[in-house]
Amino acid sequence: MPTLFRFLFVCAILAGTVYGAMLALVTFVEPEPRDVTIRIPSERVNPPATGAVNTTRK
């Protein structure tokens, strides 16, 4: 039984450390807002007119 308690104690310490690190990041780190530009090719927005649909592909 002592090894089970030791294992659970080590898991609790690791979980507490991870939780503390996440809490510190949330508290002390401020994200920098910035503009995001995504370029979309004009072919995707306004595809060229081809006329007839070609159904026979080789």
Side-chain angles (χ1 to χ4, degrees):
M1 242 355 182
T3 57
L4 177 63
F5 291 136
R6 190 179 310 145
F7 173 71
L8 292 176
F9 182 72
V10 169
C11 287
I13 293 296
L14 289 174
T17 303
V18 169
Y19 185 78
M22 289 190 326
L23 184 64
L25 281 174
V26 166
T27 304
F28 297 119
V29 176
E30 286 291 327
E32 297 177 7
R34 57 184 174 155
D35 293 336
V36 177
T37 303
I38 301 174
R39 296 184 185 268
I40 301 174
S42 62
E43 290 83 20
R44 288 184 62 191
V45 177
N46 193 9
T50 58
V53 176
N54 186 6
T55 58
T56 58
R57 293 189 111 174
K58 293 182 182 180

